[in-house]
Amino acid sequence: MNRESAKEKARELLSRMTTEEKVAQMIQVTYTDGGREEALKWAKLGAGSFLHVLGDDARELQREAMKTRLGIPVIFGIDAIHGHGLNNKATIFPSQLTCACSWDPEVARKMGEVTAREVATDGLHWTFSPVLCIGRDTRWGRVNETFGEDPYLIGEMGAAIIEGYQGDDLADDAHILACAKHYLGYGEATGGRDAYDTEVTERKVRELFLPPFKKAVDAGCATIMTAYGFLDGTPLTANRRILHDVLRDELKFDGFVITDWDNTQSLVWLQHIAADISEASIMAASAGNDMIMTTKGFYEGMLAALKEGKVDISVVDEAVLHILTIKYEMELFDKPEKRGEPDCFGKPEHLEASLDAARKSVTLLRNNGMLPLCGNVKKVAVIGENADNVRAQYGDWTYFTHPVPDPTNSRPAIRPYVTLWEGVKDICEKNGIEAVYAKGCAVKPLEGVNEDADLAEAVRVASDADVVIYAVGDVIPQFGEYSDRADLDLSGRQNELFARLKETGKKICTVLIASKPLCMGDTAEKADAVVCGFNGGMFAGQALAEVLFGKINPRGRLPISFPRHSGQIPVYYNQMPGWHGGKYNDLPQAPLFAFGEGMGYSAFAYENLCLDEDLMLRVTVKNTGARDGVETVQIYQNDCVSSVLTPVRRLIAFKQVELSAGESKDVEIRLSKDDFSLINAKCEKVLEPGEFILYAGHSSKEEDLISITIKL
Ligand code: NOJ
């Protein structure tokens, strides 16, 4: 059903609803908060939605909802963040950050499509994804959930995954609702500290945080989640200017808005801008939140406020209209449960998509010729806990980190998955190479455990091999919500073990299996090769092993910069100029690895950059290597003289080109005036005429770019 007809139906239904029924529609109840009996009670009351409930438990609630006076179906939301990961039968994809290493929106789109099918087959309708936050402070625990540090790349990946989740028609049985979050500025957590202390200004919002949401709205995203933080002193949850004026009037968003977790109650007990739940309920609803996540007290609070005449029923009507419209558009009244393909969890095509995403995301960061491993290698040592730790490989938002009660969900990881050790062993077995594994040390050692013998064993195993593959990283619970780190150095004895492995004189390839960039020090700088795998999902180990042995040519590029030291943060590439001294006096200025960086077994050269009057950019790219490869052509600009400060460089476009060995191609990219505009001091988007430097090349680093000066 199209949106307009759905709205008509919603209006008609609204006219028949009691005040209690309306307020109940605005409530989203957390299943894990109170369990089945409590959830059934809310279903009977007519709650609009539930979250964190799977399969048959959800179906039971839906049956209850359909028995209510008006038979309004419930909508079920779930954090299917990189696959329907809270269900252990589902296909687990690389994390968003890992997926962004592919710089390939098609990878995101496919991940969205597959996830949608598996969520729908579980009786659910809606995922709280994608995260469009900007990950600029890597101490923040949720950097893994972002598409990295750049608004342009985030917007492209975000729009694609939304299209993948939703398809062309919200009523389609194989698709689900997307939810772009967290609106706005949540990633700008002060000091990397998760949640409430994220103050941003409106100009910054418009320059950095809003553009990905605009792309999400343009892609048809049906729902938006409000952030925890505040803007100019007003919590986003209570910010009508941002939730209504900007979102609905300017961006033309026409779906519904949901608060984040208990954000309404938080106005009272954390942010202290409301005296009680009734006042907080008025604030949240009046600001433009249509659905209230987790705060069940909203029901009583809002009913009391209405009774006392403190708020007009039109506030509730508007919210309920938004919710019911989407329910009608999904045709939920006719088919409260999606009728997608039954039990399609982990079917071969889905697993293939996860493997493809993992392959395209592996990012080779250094290589002194060690890789790919070839003929003369007879024995490989694989060292490190994360080389054989499926939990670390999966990362956040799977059943390991967020268990949802489900009698059939027995929690152990279900095959197939392939760890790095298993991937290497498999290739070795097929090629007559010996492979040996030693854990070495724990990533996060338990207090009082003496690991001396484990380290010694790892060194012995390494000494006896031709080459060493050393996996380092982080483990649950070193990341995620409520889990920020002040110190991003490799934890435990990981650096010490590297130093000892190095003493063996063997070539070492360091592989990072982690939620986000970590400060790797010598473990990266003195390694012969460095490969970044982040949280690559089910088949991360296979993809990594294929890269190590040259079965595939790595094509990943970093969506985020790597600091050398936690004290160097932030190191994002699009910084403002003018730092006195330009660097800390005890650290180099440059990050360890920069945004856009990534190598392969090919090399690429750029020449003949030009831009014609119609803003068509052309550049010649040549594969100067001996192997076919894929290059991600990155386009940046800098505004030479502008009325407000602009960053040293800003990504405005990218395009992937396949080039066989020795091949040259003229790449064309259509730019627009928007790519050169800025947000001026009055918060208006304008193009200020004048000179711009246009860059094209392999990464955000000066030495990887060619440039021309243009006049607009
Ligand atoms: C809080 C998180 O901030 C949000 O991203 C998530 O979707 C909700 N909890 C629901 O789990």
Side-chain angles (χ1 to χ4, degrees):
M1 188 182 302
N2 68 36
R3 180 95 22 120
E4 276 320 303
S5 321
K7 215 172 263 172
E8 274 314 302
K9 291 231 168 220
R11 264 197 208 104
E12 191 280 323
L13 178 57
L14 188 67
S15 70
R16 291 189 280 129
M17 290 170 77
T18 64
T19 303
E20 285 75 12
E21 283 165 340
K22 289 177 184 175
V23 176
Q25 266 309 297
M26 294 178 71
I27 302 273
Q28 184 182 61
V29 176
T30 309
Y31 192 78
T32 39
D33 171 18
R36 178 170 171 267
E37 290 308 319
E38 174 78 0
L40 282 168
K41 184 190 101 189
W42 280 95
K44 288 185 178 119
L45 260 183
S49 174
F50 290 85
L51 83 156
H52 290 185
V53 52
L54 303 174
D56 289 343
D57 291 331
R59 292 183 185 102
E60 182 185 23
L61 292 174
Q62 190 66 289
R63 284 194 297 276
E64 249 355 284
M66 297 311 285
K67 283 190 232 153
T68 55
R69 187 179 78 92
L70 296 168
I72 305 178
V74 154
I75 179 172
F76 293 107
I78 192 84
D79 287 285
I81 303 297
H82 49 118
H84 181 27
L86 306 198
N87 183 319
N88 73 340
K89 297 187 286 286
T91 306
I92 311 282
F93 279 85
S95 69
Q96 262 196 218
L97 187 68
T98 319
C99 175
C101 292
S102 72
W103 284 56
D104 185 348
E106 287 314 307
V107 167
R109 188 186 313 276
K110 192 76 196 165
M111 168 161 147
E113 267 172 32
V114 170
T115 304
R117 280 185 225 144
E118 297 196 2
V119 168
T121 204
D122 213 5
L124 315 176
H125 315 107
W126 179 21
T127 177
F128 304 127
S129 169
V131 169
L132 300 182
C133 299
I134 300 193
R136 309 214 298 180
D137 189 326
T138 33
R139 292 171 295 178
W140 183 36
R142 302 187 73 176
V143 165
N144 65 97
E145 294 182 55
T146 71
F147 283 122
E149 72 184 30
D150 179 74
Y152 180 81
L153 179 60
I154 292 172
E156 294 299 297
M157 299 297 283
I161 200 169
I162 288 165
E163 287 162 4
Y165 287 135
Q166 295 194 166
D168 298 330
D169 181 356
L170 295 185
D172 188 309
D173 283 337
H175 289 96
I176 57 172
L177 302 182
C179 180
K181 67 187 191 185
H182 308 78
Y183 181 81
L184 273 165
Y186 178 20
E188 207 70 351
T190 305
R193 298 191 284 253
D194 189 41
Y196 291 95
D197 189 5
T198 50
E199 169 142 61
V200 284
T201 62
E202 185 162 337
R203 208 190 74 78
K204 197 166 174 181
V205 155
R206 289 179 179 277
E207 189 176 86
L208 288 171
F209 306 118
L210 199 56
F213 283 92
K214 173 158 180 15
K215 283 189 186 161
V217 172
D218 291 347
C221 192
T223 74
I224 301 256
M225 188 187 294
T226 317
Y228 289 123
F230 52 101
L231 188 145
D232 292 335
T234 306
L236 272 322
T237 316
N239 204 313
R240 183 161 173 90
R241 170 150 177 71
I242 292 294
L243 291 186
H244 185 273
D245 305 354
V246 175
L247 186 60
R248 296 215 179 249
D249 296 347
E250 279 185 44
L251 265 48
K252 309 284 178 225
F253 174 68
D254 195 24
F256 73 84
V257 175
I258 177 161
T259 69
D260 200 350
W261 188 272
D262 213 15
N263 253 2
T264 305
Q265 181 70 39
S266 302
L267 295 172
V268 183
W269 70 282
L270 275 175
Q271 294 179 310
H272 307 287
I273 71 153
D276 56 36
I277 184 63
S278 189
E279 201 181 321
S281 302
I282 300 173
M283 279 182 183
S286 308
N289 294 285
D290 303 311
M291 190 174 273
I292 309 294
M293 184 191 287
T294 310
T295 307
K296 290 184 278 195
F298 176 87
Y299 184 70
E300 300 295 341
M302 184 45 105
L303 286 176
L306 286 163
K307 205 164 168 196
E308 290 161 25
K310 290 186 180 155
V311 62
D312 194 83
I313 188 72
S314 60
V315 169
V316 172
D317 284 349
E318 194 181 328
V320 177
L321 188 67
H322 292 148
I323 296 166
L324 293 179
T325 300
I326 296 294
K327 288 186 177 180
Y328 273 113
E329 193 176 338
M330 293 173 78
E331 295 174 8
L332 277 191
F333 289 81
D334 301 326
K335 39 170 192 171
E337 189 182 332
K338 290 247 171 213
R339 294 191 204 109
E341 191 182 336
D343 209 15
C344 68
F345 301 111
K347 61 182 253 197
E349 184 198 333
H350 297 184
L351 300 179
E352 189 55 44
S354 174
L355 173 60
D356 183 62
R359 283 179 172 146
K360 288 178 174 156
S361 305
V362 174
T363 308
L364 176 61
L365 294 170
R366 287 285 182 276
N367 186 12
N368 69 3
M370 174 183 177
L371 300 181
L373 300 173
C374 55
N376 51 6
V377 172
K378 297 282 170 260
K379 188 166 183 178
V380 176
V382 178
I383 311 285
E385 177 187 342
N386 277 6
D388 201 26
N389 179 352
V390 70
R391 287 168 164 250
Q393 177 174 318
Y394 279 9
D396 203 3
W397 291 110
T398 73
Y399 45 89
F400 294 129
T401 52
H402 292 76
V404 171
D406 175 355
T408 63
N409 192 2
S410 51
R411 231 62 80 209
I414 290 187
R415 293 278 177 186
Y417 62 81
V418 182
T419 65
L420 173 61
W421 160 235
E422 291 165 342
V424 168
K425 193 170 49 166
D426 183 53
I427 293 184
C428 286
E429 269 165 20
K430 289 180 182 141
N431 291 279
I433 302 169
E434 199 182 331
V436 206
Y437 172 74
K439 176 177 163 187
C441 63
V443 170
K444 194 172 183 297
L446 294 172
E447 225 167 289
V449 172
N450 186 329
E451 295 185 304
D452 290 352
D454 292 339
L455 263 78
E457 168 65 5
V459 173
R460 192 196 60 72
V461 165
S463 312
D464 199 33
D466 298 320
V467 290
V468 179
I469 296 164
Y470 180 39
V472 295
D474 57 15
V475 290
I476 300 163
Q478 288 176 301
F479 52 87
E481 210 177 340
Y482 295 93
S483 208
D484 313 310
R485 281 177 74 174
D487 180 359
L488 290 176
D489 278 4
L490 292 176
S491 54
R493 294 172 74 179
Q494 294 183 91
N495 281 326
E496 179 194 337
L497 178 54
F498 176 83
R500 295 193 34 199
L501 294 171
K502 189 81 192 154
E503 281 165 13
T504 65
K506 307 291 172 175
K507 284 199 182 284
I508 306 179
C509 171
T510 296
V511 179
L512 181 71
I513 295 179
S515 63
K516 59 185 175 184
L518 297 177
C519 304
M520 294 193 284
D522 285 355
T523 301
E525 294 196 69
K526 296 197 173 154
D528 297 281
V530 179
V531 178
C532 174
F534 286 137
N535 298 134
M538 288 180 138
F539 301 107
Q542 178 177 340
L544 285 163
E546 287 173 352
V547 163
L548 297 176
F549 286 91
K551 305 269 174 220
I552 55 173
N553 190 353
R555 54 190 274 184
R557 304 285 182 265
L558 289 181
I560 192 163
S561 307
F562 273 59
R564 290 169 191 274
H565 184 280
S566 309
Q568 198 195 17
I569 293 169
V571 289
Y572 52 83
Y573 81 97
N574 46 348
Q575 305 227 344
M576 294 298 173
W579 182 8
H580 281 191
K583 67 184 199 62
Y584 292 107
N585 61 29
D586 50 359
L587 274 178
Q589 179 195 5
L592 181 57
F593 302 116
F595 177 78
E597 236 184 294
M599 319 162 69
Y601 302 134
S602 317
F604 302 95
Y606 285 72
E607 58 179 6
N608 307 329
L609 173 62
C610 60
L611 185 74
D612 72 15
E613 282 178 358
D614 297 330
L615 299 185
M616 179 65 92
L617 175 149
R618 291 188 179 81
V619 65
T620 308
V621 186
K622 181 171 186 186
N623 181 349
T624 56
R627 215 175 142 162
D628 302 351
V630 174
E631 170 66 330
T632 299
V633 177
Q634 302 171 33
I635 310 296
Y636 299 85
Q637 63 96 329
N638 168 256
D639 194 335
C640 298
V641 181
S642 45
S643 65
V644 289
L645 261 77
T646 49
V648 287
R649 244 189 292 296
R650 168 153 84 88
L651 182 74
I652 53 172
F654 62 88
K655 188 169 186 174
Q656 292 186 323
V657 271
E658 281 181 35
L659 291 163
S660 30
E663 191 188 4
S664 274
K665 266 187 193 162
D666 291 335
V667 178
E668 289 190 338
I669 300 179
R670 166 82 58 201
L671 300 178
S672 78
K673 288 199 167 159
D674 256 15
D675 297 324
F676 298 93
S677 61
L678 53 73
I679 306 296
N680 69 16
K682 290 189 215 148
C683 285
E684 301 155 339
K685 190 170 187 177
V686 288
L687 174 72
E688 295 182 343
E691 288 191 337
F692 294 82
I693 304 176
L694 191 61
Y695 299 90
H698 180 75
S699 86
S700 66
K701 291 197 296 190
E702 186 90 45
E703 62 265 37
D704 283 341
L705 296 164
I706 59 169
S707 67
I708 52 170
T709 302
I710 55 160
K711 212 164 183 174
L712 289 178

